[in-house]
Structures are given as C-alpha cells and as structure tokens.
Amino acid sequence: MKIDVILPCGGSGTRAKLGYNKLLFDLGGITVIEKTLSRFYRDDVDKIVISCSDGDLGAFTKLTQGAPIKILFAKGGRTRGESVFNALSLCDSDFVAVHDGARPFVTQKIIDDAFATAQQKGSAVACVPVTDSLRRKCDDGTSVSVDRSEYYNVQTPQVFPTQKLLQAYELAKKEGFEASDDAQIYEKYIAPAAISQGGYENVKITTANDLALAIPSGYRVGTGWDTHRLVEGRKLILAGVDIPHDKGLLGHSDADVLAHAVMDAILGAVGKRDIGVLFPDTDDSFKDADSMKLLDKVVALAKSDGYVINNLSAVILAQKPKLMGYIPAMVQNLASALGVSPDRINVAVTTTEKIGDIGREEAISASAYCSLFKRTDKDNN
Ligand code: MG
C-alpha cells in the first residue's frame, strides 16, 4: 500500500511568539519541519505534500532540497482545513495520511500502527488515552467529574482513503462546515474513524513553552586555546588552508594552530580532556599529521556520544601575514569537518598591535569556543 502524506504547514507562529513560522524554528541543527519530514522518509510513502503560505515557500523549498522522497507544495489556506483541501488535489495514492507539521517527535511505531490500522479498518486516527482527570462545567458555575476512560486525546497522523477524504472536504466546503481535524470531517460525511495507537511523546508544538521543551537537552560549551612558534622552512596551515608566507608554524603535526584550538573546544565541551591526551606528540604516527583529519576524529568522537555541533566561534591572533582573504576557505573547511552549515562558523582575525611574541611575528595563537547539543532519546526513535 502506497500512501501520500499531507503536512499542513500554514501557521504563522503567533501562539509561539516567534514572529515567523514555528516550523522554521531551529531545534539544534535541524528545524521543526525537517525533523517532521524525516519521519516520513519511508518506503511506503509515495510523496509528501506541504501546504504553506507564499511567504514561507522559499524557505521550505530550500530546506527540502535533496529529500529522498518526492515533495510537492500546495497553497496554504486561511484555515487548516483549507490547507488540507488544497493539498488533497495533488494526492493520487489510494490512501492519504495527514500529519501536523508541528509534531516532529512522531515515532515509526505510531506511523506503522496508523498505516496498518487504515489498511485493516479503512481509516486511522492516532489517539492516546486522556491522563488528566476530566470535569464538565455546569451552568451554575460548579463542575462534575467525568469518566475519563471513555475519552482520548487526538493526535496525527490521521489516515483515510484519498478519494473519500476529498469527497468529505468537498461536502464540508459546500456546507461551510469547519473542524479542527480531518477525522471530524470524515465522520460527518463518510464514516466513523478507527483509532490507532498514538504516543505521549508525539507532542504538537504550539506555544513558546512547547518550543523551549522541544530544544534538545544537554547544551554544552567548550573552549580551546593554542600557540605555535613561527619559523622559517615550515608551511603555514590554518584550518587546512595552505597560506603562502615566508614562515610557517613549528610542531609535531602540521601545527595547524586553529584546528588544534577547535579540537580542544569540542573535547572540552563533551568532557574528553584535550588533544595532547588523545593524540600525544610522543606518538610517531601523529608526526606531520594533517590536523584536519584529526579534527574529523574528534568530531566523530563527539557524535558517537550523541552530540551535534551548534556553532563555532574562533579567533586567530597573528601579526603577519594578512589572513582576511583566506577566511572563507577556512570557514568552508571547518564547516565540512564539523558537519554544519558555514553560517554556524565564525573565524575572526586580529593582530596584537606588535606587542609580545605574536606582535614580534615569533608565534601565532588561536582560540575557539564551540557549543553543542546532546540528542535525546525522543529524537532517535
Ligand atoms: Mg597545537
């Protein structure tokens, strides 16, 4: 069974107090919409239709470039229902699954169960039993308790036969019937919807508070500092860029002082000591080593502990040569080593006004700060 997925993404982020669509909020190296989309990169999904406003189309198009599944765009509507209706016209698989763009923590188990239930029973609505006690308001201002075992909280995905859902939406449009989800429209015009197993982790990001809770926990910052002597007869290499100069940096490895500071910043953030411990200069295998290759190893170490790099800010202190022109290449090298986009890397350069060993062109120093997030279990399932 092939399924088309509709993601209504027309929100403006008003309740999240962002001033932009909350689906473009950065959850630590990945936006809400990218995370939601990635959950549906499955063999049984034929295509994904995103309905969004004209203003967000450019950003969404950029974020979905290179997606492993066909992505189409529909015009976002004034209401959620209008957005789904617009997207339905692009769907031609037997079944369609509608999922809130703002539910990025949906698990494969929840999707599996929704798809299987739809196949067996004709439709599926992911639900979870209500956990809070429920009360019903009375006219006189008092309230009475309600048996919560009869009630569910409704989530997405919600899966229906494509043609039947389209038919229901056409009827709803004719009658001006508006609903907060697709199951309401389906049951009014077609049939009651079957329940599939949702999950309490499948939260919908709605308010600013939800966004704060959705950011990965375990935020870390590390710092690194390094100095190497400038001597004749050596290459000057900074972040893997070979810079023409009459002197170069002296060291056991290629003496890439910037790469060394960056490695120590990452190791410091994740609590793994420093490069002197990891790559001792008494070990001949590190003689003349390409420090950018060592940086790859450090990044892999941080990633194996579940960290993703958020940003890097580095400063090079050098009297000479002028380094400004080489910064874009350094940023590019560091971005690819750290696996982040170049806009998360900043390399600044400064002289020391001819003061001290750096000012006398006897040395070059570099400092670096790196911040990382730790991925949580809810991100990985
Ligand atoms: Mg060093």
Side-chain angles (χ1 to χ4, degrees), residues 226 228 260 275:
D226 196 21
H228 280 263
H260 293 183
I275 49 171

Side-chain angles (χ1 to χ4, degrees), residues 33-50:
I33 184 60
E34 286 174 282
K35 200 175 187 72
T36 305
L37 272 168
S38 70
R39 303 300 163 119
F40 291 94
Y41 294 158
R42 302 164 46 109
D43 289 343
D44 48 7
V45 171
D46 186 61
K47 58 185 160 300
I48 300 173
V49 185
I50 294 174

Side-chain angles (χ1 to χ4, degrees), residues 161-341:
T162 307
Q163 283 312 311
K164 285 187 180 170
L165 187 62
L166 184 61
Q167 191 188 336
Y169 262 98
E170 279 166 349
L171 290 167
K173 199 177 177 189
K174 208 187 282 179
E175 292 186 6
F177 177 70
E178 286 193 8
S180 62
D181 72 346
D182 308 283
Q184 282 179 62
I185 293 193
Y186 189 79
E187 79 188 0
K188 184 170 168 76
Y189 298 105
I190 309 291
I195 285 176
S196 66
Q197 208 175 352
Y200 293 104
E201 68 274 61
N202 184 21
V203 290
K204 184 176 180 186
I205 297 172
T206 306
T207 63
N209 194 38
D210 298 335
L211 279 176
L213 292 172
I215 293 174
S217 57
Y219 178 73
R220 300 281 192 103
V221 177
T223 178
W225 174 271
D226 196 21
T227 301
H228 280 263
R229 190 179 291 278
L230 259 182
V231 295
E232 284 174 2
R234 288 274 298 182
K235 282 186 166 187
L236 175 58
I237 295 171
L238 295 170
V241 181
D242 196 338
I243 295 163
H245 191 44
D246 55 358
K247 292 182 199 166
L249 293 172
L250 183 63
H252 183 66
S253 66
D254 62 2
D256 186 333
V257 69
L258 178 54
H260 293 183
V262 171
M263 283 192 270
D264 274 352
I266 296 170
L267 291 169
V270 302
K272 298 268 187 204
R273 302 282 303 269
D274 59 52
I275 49 171
V277 174
L278 210 60
F279 312 118
D281 62 8
T282 49
D283 186 336
D284 264 356
S285 64
F286 299 122
K287 185 158 166 43
D288 298 322
D290 176 349
S291 297
M292 292 305 280
K293 292 220 168 86
L294 303 181
L295 177 57
D296 289 342
K297 287 187 184 172
V298 167
V299 172
L301 190 68
K303 284 188 176 165
S304 72
D305 270 7
Y307 287 95
V308 287
I309 287 156
N310 180 46
N311 83 310
L312 170 78
S313 173
V315 182
I316 305 168
L317 297 95
Q319 193 63 45
K320 270 188 187 169
K322 287 244 174 287
L323 296 170
M324 293 284 265
Y326 301 98
I327 288 176
M330 291 184 215
V331 166
Q332 196 57 55
N333 284 355
L334 289 169
S336 55
L338 270 52
V340 298
S341 69

Side-chain angles (χ1 to χ4, degrees), residues 29-224:
I30 186 165
T31 57
V32 176
I33 184 60
E34 286 174 282
K35 200 175 187 72
T36 305
L37 272 168
S38 70
R39 303 300 163 119
F40 291 94
Y41 294 158
R42 302 164 46 109
D43 289 343
D44 48 7
V45 171
D46 186 61
K47 58 185 160 300
I48 300 173
V49 185
I50 294 174
S51 45
C52 65
S53 69
D54 292 344
D56 287 334
L57 183 60
F60 281 124
T61 306
K62 200 172 160 199
L63 286 174
T64 52
Q65 267 166 12
I69 283 184
K70 184 155 81 169
I71 311 262
L72 301 175
F73 291 92
K75 204 171 171 52
R78 187 180 44 85
T79 61
R80 183 184 188 281
E82 264 182 39
S83 295
V84 173
F85 183 67
N86 292 344
L88 271 170
S89 64
L90 299 175
C91 296
D92 55 7
S93 291
D94 291 341
F95 279 84
V96 62
V98 184
H99 183 71
D100 297 323
R103 287 190 196 269
F105 302 116
V106 63
T107 62
Q108 294 309 308
K109 188 163 166 274
I110 294 170
I111 299 171
D112 285 344
D113 196 56
F115 286 9
T117 302
Q119 198 162 21
Q120 286 159 19
K121 300 183 177 170
S123 61
V125 181
C127 290
V128 285
V130 170
T131 53
D132 290 332
S133 295
L134 288 182
R135 300 190 71 76
R136 191 174 61 237
K137 197 171 78 178
C138 301
D139 288 342
D140 62 0
T142 61
S143 62
V144 289
S145 60
V146 171
D147 180 6
R148 72 176 174 205
S149 68
E150 293 178 16
Y151 292 89
Y152 286 90
N153 282 125
V154 178
Q155 303 184 333
T156 63
Q158 301 187 1
V159 190
F160 308 96
T162 307
Q163 283 312 311
K164 285 187 180 170
L165 187 62
L166 184 61
Q167 191 188 336
Y169 262 98
E170 279 166 349
L171 290 167
K173 199 177 177 189
K174 208 187 282 179
E175 292 186 6
F177 177 70
E178 286 193 8
S180 62
D181 72 346
D182 308 283
Q184 282 179 62
I185 293 193
Y186 189 79
E187 79 188 0
K188 184 170 168 76
Y189 298 105
I190 309 291
I195 285 176
S196 66
Q197 208 175 352
Y200 293 104
E201 68 274 61
N202 184 21
V203 290
K204 184 176 180 186
I205 297 172
T206 306
T207 63
N209 194 38
D210 298 335
L211 279 176
L213 292 172
I215 293 174
S217 57
Y219 178 73
R220 300 281 192 103
V221 177
T223 178

Side-chain angles (χ1 to χ4, degrees), residues 319 352-360:
Q319 193 63 45
T352 58
E353 299 285 343
K354 301 193 174 169
I355 300 163
D357 46 10
I358 293 169
R360 290 191 299 271

